[in-house]
């Protein structure tokens, strides 16, 4: 009934589903219209620019002078700068809503289950000196500074003839391919052993082949409590038994996830919002490139600006197809 827009309606579902206090606060800000206000400001600037370009099309012999006097390029640059700020805030909001998926991988008995347990603060996984204890994934969601972190413990990576363990290892690689961050766990008590070191090299090579280049792999050296006589190593050194070094790992995970110190202005956002904003940025950048040349084709500039406004309108629902609406509101039930 025109009381709230689509982004605010989505925020109701996000508030219900919020798993952390920070996520609930951000969802409340979106429900109050903070995100929508930012989109409205961007739209107003875009409409103003579109009006200028459309009016200029009626006077082709004077178009360059008109655009220069109105500082059209300056308006577009300021719009792009503001768009980047909104996108950064939206990324932080998406992080609070969805969190990150962190997969712990490594050879058997490197301490993967112990690391999961200490991160989760409870004994979720069985820990024994026997290799191959974990045959299937164990997942737990924790929060670090308000960010949901979905930790997944997996079967140790090695050659195996045991059918059940082989299935577990296959599932490990499936989880690794879908990770946002991979923790490659190494055993400090065995890392100098040639066979162990060689196996780690093979796993590292397979990781590089199996996951996308933009997915970070963080080397974590475990069992500091059992071996302190180690040279400095790239990554995080810790003990999953005593918790020493754990805080450094938590900070590094937040950094890899793109977490910034949470400003009060963070509002909740979804993947579709970021995709729409990315499309807006692409169209505005195209428009700027066309406008910057000596004889700009303003009809093409006008079309880029129109498409950018359509993408903005998708966020708040002014320009949204029924299929998308159906998908969004089905999540409420």
């Amino acid at each position: 009934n025109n009381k709230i827009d689509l982004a605010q309606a989505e925020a109701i579902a996000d508030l219900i589903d919020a798993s952390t206090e920070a996520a609930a606060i951000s969802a409340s800000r979106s429900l109050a219209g903070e995100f929508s206000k930012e989109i409205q400001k961007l739209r107003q600037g875009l409409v103003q620019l579109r009006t200028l370009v459309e009016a200029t099309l009626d006077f082709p012999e004077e178009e360059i002078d008109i655009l220069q006097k109105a500082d059209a390029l300056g308006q577009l640059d300021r719009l792009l700068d503001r768009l980047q700020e909104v996108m950064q805030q939206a990324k932080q909001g998406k992080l609070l809503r969805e969190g990150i998926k962190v997969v712990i991988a490594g050879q058997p008995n490197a301490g993967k289950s112990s690391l999961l347990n200490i991160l989760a603060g409870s004994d979720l996984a069985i820990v024994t000196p026997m290799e191959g204890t974990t045959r299937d994934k164990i997942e737990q969601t924790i929060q670090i500074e308000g960010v949901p972190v979905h930790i997944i413990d997996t079967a140790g990576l090695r050659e195996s003839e045991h059918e059940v363990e082989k299935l577990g290892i296959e599932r490990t690689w499936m989880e690794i391919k879908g990770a946002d961050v991979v923790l490659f766990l190494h055993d400090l008590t065995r890392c100098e052993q040639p066979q162990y070191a060689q196996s780690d090299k093979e796993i590292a090579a397979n990781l590089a082949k199996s996951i996308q280049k933009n997915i970070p792999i963080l080397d974590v050296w475990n069992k500091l409590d059992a071996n302190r006589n180690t040279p400095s190593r790239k990554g995080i050194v810790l003990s999953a038994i005593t918790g020493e070094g754990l805080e450094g790992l938590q900070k590094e995970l937040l950094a890899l996830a793109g977490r910034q110190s949470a400003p009060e202005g963070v509002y909740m956002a979804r993947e579709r919002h970021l995709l729409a904003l990315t499309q807006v940025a692409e169209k505005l950048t195209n428009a700027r490139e066309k406008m910057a040349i000596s004889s700009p084709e303003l009809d093409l500039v006008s079309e880029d600006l129109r498409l950018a406004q359509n993408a903005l309108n998708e966020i708040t629902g002014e320009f949204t197809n029924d299929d998308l609406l159906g998908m969004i509101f089905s999540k409420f039930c």
Side-chain angles (χ1 to χ4, degrees), residues 196-211:
Y196 184 88
Q198 179 60 33
S199 294
D200 260 8
K201 284 183 181 178
E202 291 172 4
I203 292 172
N206 287 330
L207 283 173
K209 287 187 221 171
S210 299
I211 64 176

Side-chain angles (χ1 to χ4, degrees), residues 10-30:
E10 288 172 303
I12 296 172
D14 293 337
L15 181 57
I16 293 168
D17 294 336
S19 58
T20 68
E21 183 180 355
I25 292 172
S26 296
S28 297
R29 289 182 58 81
S30 287

Side-chain angles (χ1 to χ4, degrees), residues 25 29 89 262-267:
I25 292 172
R29 289 182 58 81
Q89 293 283 73
E264 292 183 359
V266 169
Y267 31 72

Side-chain angles (χ1 to χ4, degrees), residues 59-121:
F59 304 96
E61 66 281 352
E62 302 177 25
E63 61 184 23
I64 301 300
D65 289 338
I66 294 173
L67 291 176
Q68 287 180 345
K69 287 178 182 177
D71 189 24
L73 271 179
Q75 288 188 41
L76 188 47
D77 284 338
R78 287 189 290 275
L79 198 58
L80 277 165
D81 288 343
R82 184 58 196 149
L83 176 62
Q84 290 303 317
E85 293 175 12
V86 172
M87 288 180 72
Q88 188 56 49
Q89 293 283 73
K91 286 177 182 177
Q92 295 301 302
K94 177 178 177 287
L95 181 61
L96 288 177
R97 178 180 181 268
E98 299 180 3
I100 57 169
K101 178 181 176 181
V102 177
V103 174
I104 307 173
Q107 294 188 56
N109 266 14
K112 298 184 295 298
S113 296
S114 296
L115 183 56
L116 170 68
N117 287 345
I118 198 167
L119 282 168

Side-chain angles (χ1 to χ4, degrees), residues 98-151:
E98 299 180 3
I100 57 169
K101 178 181 176 181
V102 177
V103 174
I104 307 173
Q107 294 188 56
N109 266 14
K112 298 184 295 298
S113 296
S114 296
L115 183 56
L116 170 68
N117 287 345
I118 198 167
L119 282 168
S122 63
D123 293 333
L124 298 173
I126 297 172
V127 177
T128 73
M130 187 169 51
E131 291 188 351
T133 304
T134 304
R135 298 296 179 90
D136 202 352
K137 69 173 185 177
I138 301 174
E139 184 172 356
Q140 178 68 19
T141 297
I142 64 172
Q143 56 173 293
I144 305 174
E145 294 185 19
V147 176
V149 180
H150 312 292
I151 305 284

